[in-house]
């Protein structure tokens, strides 16, 4: 198979921060690895311990690309090149010996990491060169890798590159493109300053001017949206824009070095796009219609004392990008849920958060200040359990992303008896990456330490439901109801679990009618609690009607 070299770069030790590099060199044998592909159903082979925190998510994502577009995409990390291969040579050997893309017309993409040498190699097969061009690969490299590299989170950036690869995989799969169309797409990318074969070591942090006050909160959601677009048009890298909530400012501190092409892309996508403002007194949605395409996902704004501001925390939690081009909103208990009722939806992240674990706009400023204080305390004493645990918990509440997981893992190592690292790791694995199995492993340990916490049983029941272990879900949710009989969340999930058992049961299964009866009974109990969640019950009724379990 003839391969096309797209880029090769070196990175410094910060590349693999967050607990990587714990491999045992004596146990790794590159010669043995090269002989044959270890598993036909794995797409991430992380021998270098680079992406351990996103293993489940990454395998699912890459498998989805293969199934949808007949392109085999693989990520491989190795502890070292073992002194006898260049990273290019090793990539070619892996592709040939493992037969990557062999069952898919030779269509293959390989992303290879060498930990010791700090080298990364992306290769695309000849069969994909007409769509996965040098210009495109240079664009996604700069767009995705540069900001993550400069913030010390290159592993997350490399996963983001996979999302960009999926966009072109869709074009290739559909097959209705021309060379002139691809040239036009590449021209748009190059106009943003992108180019192929960049070296991450040459990425330098740019001076960020303090001009955030020029972009104040809006008097209306529409004015706030236009101010946000203007900040993109003027490529404002200052994270302290008046248009941002305080948590949004903290989030964008990690992205002060976005390339010009990122801002240009946003302006092209949104500056002239028709939209509708859907709002109530305190929350607003910039809605582009119920249309496929990631660029049609809505933006969220909230009212503060200063005016309307961009709310990234809720967007990160509940507005989700599925397989390209699909997007949707989570049906869960949060302020925008009613405003987003016209959007496509799924229920993959309905975490039963309670009390101080719930992010609230009215506490946004106080939460941001607390995060800053906790961050300083952790930097001053990273081996203090309380400092690590506090920062990890606050990051989880604010949905600060994958950088949360290493801190919580550190807290767990510092105090294995404490239940709380397990709890918040379980939340973060679902919030950041929909990694249900990893969340289950963490939450089982939490429940073992805190058997009387209703949240633990509610959430564990939900996780079992998401992995289609309906008997396990029912067992945990029943425990939650025993601890708190007035538990609308548990009753609704019990109804769904019994409903799923009914749908899966054979018509000859004597338990089938009982499952249906219990599904309806749990709905009725949910409606009788003292404070029923009307939205949640409404979603459940719709699902039961759709599945023909109830007629009303």
């Amino acid at each position: 198979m003839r391969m096309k070299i797209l880029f090769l770069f070196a990175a410094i030790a910060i590349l693999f921060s967050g607990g990587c590099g714990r491999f045992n060199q004596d146990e790794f044998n590159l010669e043995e690895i090269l002989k044959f592909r270890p598993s036909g159903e794995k797409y991430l082979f992380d021998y270098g311990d680079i992406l351990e925190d996103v293993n489940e998510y990454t395998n699912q994502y890459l498998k989805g690309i293969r199934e949808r577009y007949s392109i085999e995409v693989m990520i491989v990390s190795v502890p070292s090149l073992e002194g006898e291969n260049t990273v290019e040579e090793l990539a070619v050997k892996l592709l040939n010996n493992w037969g990557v893309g062999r069952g898919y017309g030779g269509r293959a993409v390989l992303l290879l990491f060498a930990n010791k040498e700090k080298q990364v190699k992306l290769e695309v097969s000849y069969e994909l060169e007409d769509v996965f061009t040098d210009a495109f690969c240079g664009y996604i490299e700069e767009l995705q890798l540069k900001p993550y590299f400069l913030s010390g989170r290159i592993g997350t950036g490399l996963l983001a590159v996979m999302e960009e690869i999926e966009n072109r995989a869709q074009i290739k799969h559909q097959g209705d493109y021309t060379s002139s169309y691809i040239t036009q797409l590449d021209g748009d990318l190059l106009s943003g300053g992108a180019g192929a074969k960049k070296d991450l070591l040459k990425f330098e942090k740019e001076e960020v001017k303090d001009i955030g006050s020029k972009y104040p909160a809006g008097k209306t959601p529409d004015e706030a949206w236009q101010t946000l677009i203007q900040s993109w048009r003027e490529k404002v890298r200052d994270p302290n824009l008046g248009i941002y909530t305080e948590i949004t400012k903290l989030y964008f501190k990690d992205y002060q070095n976005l390339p010009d092409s990122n801002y240009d892309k946003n302006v092209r996508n949104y500056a002239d796009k028709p939209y509708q403002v859907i709002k109530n007194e305190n929350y607003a949605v910039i809605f582009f219609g119920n249309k496929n395409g990631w660029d049609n996902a809505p933006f969220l704004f909230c009212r503060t004392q200063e005016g309307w501001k961009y709310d990234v925390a809720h967007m990160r939690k509940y507005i989700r990008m599925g397989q390209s081009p699909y997007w949707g909103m989570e049906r869960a208990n949060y302020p925008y849920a009613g405003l987003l009722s016209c959007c496509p939806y799924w229920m993959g992240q309905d975490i039963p958060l309670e009390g101080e674990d719930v992010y609230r706009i009215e506490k946004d400023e106080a939460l941001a200040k607390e995060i800053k204080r906790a961050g300083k305390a952790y930097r001053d004493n990273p081996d203090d359990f309380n400092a690590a645990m506090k920062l990890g918990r606050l990051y989880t509440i604010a949905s600060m992303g994958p950088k949360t997981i290493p801190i919580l893992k550190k807290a767990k190592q510092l105090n294995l008896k404490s239940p709380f690292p397990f709890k918040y790791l379980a939340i973060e694995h679902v919030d950041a990456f929909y990694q249900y199995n990893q969340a289950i492993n963490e939450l089982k340990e939490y429940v073992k330490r805190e058997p009387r916490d209703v949240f633990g049983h509610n959430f564990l029941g939900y996780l079992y439901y998401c992995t289609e272990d309906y008997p396990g879900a029912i067992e945990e949710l029943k425990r939650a109801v025993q601890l708190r009989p007035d538990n609308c969340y548990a009753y609704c999930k019990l109804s769904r679990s019994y409903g799923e058992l009914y749908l899966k049961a054979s018509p000859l299964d004597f338990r089938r009618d009982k499952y249906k009866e219990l599904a309806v009974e749990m709905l009725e109990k949910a409606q009788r609690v003292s404070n029923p969640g009307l939205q949640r019950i409404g979603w459940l009724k719709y699902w039961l009607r759709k599945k023909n379990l109830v007629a009303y």
Side-chain angles (χ1 to χ4, degrees):
M1 180 185 296
R2 185 166 71 87
M3 307 304 298
K4 186 176 186 180
I5 297 175
L6 294 174
F7 65 79
L8 168 63
F9 52 80
I12 56 178
I14 198 172
L15 180 69
F16 304 126
S17 61
C20 297
R22 294 191 304 276
F23 60 85
N24 185 339
Q25 182 69 55
D26 294 334
E27 296 177 358
F28 179 77
N29 188 320
L30 181 57
E31 184 177 347
E32 289 296 317
I33 294 296
L34 282 169
K35 286 182 179 179
F36 54 85
R37 181 171 173 173
S39 170
E41 287 302 315
K42 281 185 65 178
Y43 307 91
L44 170 63
F45 295 89
D46 192 22
Y47 302 111
D49 285 341
I50 294 168
L51 296 170
E52 61 172 340
D53 292 331
V54 293
N55 188 295
E56 182 182 346
Y57 167 83
T58 305
N59 270 303
Q60 291 172 348
Y61 193 92
L62 299 181
K63 180 181 179 182
I65 291 179
R66 189 202 69 175
E67 292 176 345
R68 290 189 294 274
Y69 310 118
S70 296
I71 295 173
E72 193 159 40
V73 182
M74 188 172 294
I75 298 178
V76 181
S77 76
V78 295
S80 77
L81 298 174
E82 299 203 342
E84 58 184 63
N85 297 283
T86 65
V87 71
E88 295 95 337
E89 291 170 343
L90 179 55
V92 171
K93 286 182 180 179
L94 284 169
L95 281 158
N96 290 337
N97 294 6
W98 287 13
V100 183
R102 188 171 294 163
Y104 302 91
R107 294 183 293 274
V109 177
L110 175 72
L111 198 55
L112 173 65
F113 305 78
N115 197 349
K116 180 180 178 180
E117 294 79 7
K118 301 298 183 286
Q119 292 182 344
V120 184
K121 179 67 170 43
L122 176 67
E123 293 221 7
V124 174
S125 67
Y126 174 72
E127 290 79 4
L128 298 178
E129 287 183 0
D130 58 338
V131 171
F132 290 83
T133 62
D134 279 342
F136 167 74
C137 292
Y139 165 73
I140 62 169
E141 174 191 336
E142 182 173 338
L143 174 69
Q144 298 289 15
L145 294 185
K146 178 181 178 180
Y148 288 105
F149 174 78
L150 293 174
S151 62
R153 294 184 292 122
I154 189 65
T156 303
L158 289 162
L159 290 179
V161 165
M162 292 295 102
E163 297 177 358
E164 294 288 347
I165 286 174
E166 183 180 6
N167 285 329
R168 288 262 169 141
Q170 186 178 16
I171 295 173
K172 181 70 176 180
H173 180 68
Q174 291 172 342
D176 56 351
Y177 61 89
T178 63
S179 60
S180 60
Y181 173 65
I182 299 300
T183 300
Q184 178 185 341
L185 291 179
D186 288 347
D188 290 339
L189 304 182
L190 291 171
S191 68
K197 300 182 181 178
K198 294 187 182 299
D199 186 338
L200 280 187
L201 288 178
K202 295 179 181 177
F203 284 159
E204 296 179 358
K205 291 188 177 183
E206 303 172 30
E207 181 182 355
V208 177
K209 297 179 180 179
D210 184 11
I211 57 174
S213 60
K214 293 175 58 179
Y215 303 87
K219 297 178 182 177
T220 65
D222 184 81
E223 182 177 282
W225 172 239
Q226 293 303 321
T227 299
L228 184 60
I229 291 175
Q230 188 62 24
S231 74
W232 296 334
R233 186 177 282 116
E234 297 177 4
K235 300 176 176 61
V236 179
R237 292 173 169 82
D238 182 5
N240 297 308
L241 301 189
I243 193 66
Y244 293 166
T245 67
E246 295 305 307
I247 292 297
T248 302
K249 292 176 183 179
L250 288 183
Y251 174 74
F252 279 111
K253 280 190 71 175
D254 289 336
Y255 300 96
Q256 295 182 54
N257 289 276
L258 291 172
D260 287 352
S261 53
N262 182 280
Y263 297 99
D264 291 335
K265 179 182 177 182
N266 283 346
V267 172
R268 287 197 305 269
N269 287 339
Y270 299 110
D272 298 317
K273 178 176 286 191
Y275 63 91
Q276 174 186 1
V277 178
I278 305 173
K279 70 182 183 74
N280 56 27
E281 184 177 351
N282 295 312
Y283 302 95
V285 175
I286 302 299
F287 182 60
F288 306 108
N290 190 344
K291 300 176 288 189
N292 289 337
W294 286 349
D295 294 335
N296 290 317
F299 283 73
L300 305 184
F301 288 81
C302 60
R303 185 197 293 273
T304 69
Q305 291 183 343
E306 293 80 23
W308 289 88
K309 296 187 177 184
Y310 183 30
D311 180 5
V312 161
H314 276 116
M315 280 191 66
R316 285 176 57 82
K317 285 178 181 289
Y318 301 113
I319 305 299
R320 298 290 178 154
M321 303 300 125
Q323 65 187 54
S324 179
Y326 302 109
W327 58 272
M329 47 78 64
E330 291 287 0
R331 283 203 165 171
N333 185 25
Y334 61 97
Y336 297 88
L339 299 178
L340 293 165
S341 61
C342 54
C343 296
Y345 75 92
W346 49 78
M347 298 187 72
Q349 204 260 73
D350 188 12
I351 304 173
L353 299 172
E354 298 180 343
E356 294 301 311
D357 289 338
V358 178
Y359 170 77
R360 293 181 173 87
I361 291 296
E362 56 268 27
K363 294 187 176 182
D364 178 271
E365 184 174 354
L367 178 61
K369 289 180 180 178
E370 201 172 357
I371 287 174
K372 291 176 183 177
R373 289 194 294 268
K376 183 180 185 305
Y378 178 68
R379 289 190 298 273
D380 290 344
N381 193 354
D383 291 326
D384 179 72
F385 166 76
N386 290 325
M389 187 62 247
K390 184 172 184 179
L391 183 60
R393 175 181 173 272
L394 293 173
Y395 273 174
T396 303
I397 294 169
S399 199
M400 295 297 287
K403 69 179 183 180
T404 309
I405 294 176
I407 296 173
L408 290 170
K409 291 174 71 174
K410 177 71 174 293
K412 183 166 67 172
Q413 292 168 359
L414 292 169
N415 185 350
L416 288 173
K417 293 182 179 180
S418 173
F420 300 111
F422 297 98
K423 172 183 176 179
Y424 292 100
L425 274 169
I427 293 171
E428 190 60 28
H429 277 307
V430 176
D431 185 29
F433 294 112
Y434 294 104
Q435 297 189 132
Y436 301 121
N437 290 318
Q438 288 183 256
I440 287 171
N441 292 335
E442 300 292 348
L443 201 61
K444 285 166 69 175
E445 292 297 323
Y446 174 71
V447 169
K448 189 184 299 182
R449 291 162 173 79
E450 294 286 333
R452 297 196 61 78
D453 183 12
V454 176
F455 167 83
H457 295 290
N458 270 345
F459 191 23
L460 189 53
Y462 170 68
L463 291 173
Y464 283 136
Y465 175 85
C466 289
T467 56
E468 301 184 9
D469 179 1
Y470 303 119
I474 290 168
E475 181 180 353
E476 290 299 328
L477 293 165
K478 281 183 174 180
R479 290 174 182 167
V481 169
Q482 289 172 355
L483 291 168
R484 183 192 297 162
D486 203 35
N487 191 338
C488 181
Y489 180 93
Y491 285 129
C492 286
K493 299 305 181 192
L494 278 166
S495 178
R496 286 178 178 269
S497 297
Y498 283 122
E500 292 288 1
L501 288 176
Y502 167 79
L503 294 170
K504 289 182 176 297
S506 163
L508 300 178
D509 190 333
F510 70 93
R511 300 168 296 180
R512 190 167 184 263
D513 289 340
K514 185 63 175 178
Y515 292 147
K516 181 176 181 179
E517 177 185 325
L518 286 168
V520 176
E521 180 183 332
M522 294 302 109
L523 166 63
E524 292 171 349
K525 288 187 175 183
Q527 294 178 116
R528 290 199 297 267
V529 302
S530 60
N531 187 24
L534 299 181
Q535 278 188 332
R536 188 178 301 284
I537 290 172
W539 296 329
L540 174 60
K541 284 183 176 179
Y542 173 80
W543 184 82
L544 292 170
R545 285 196 302 269
K546 185 178 178 180
K547 302 298 182 181
N548 295 317
L549 275 83
V550 297
Y552 54 87

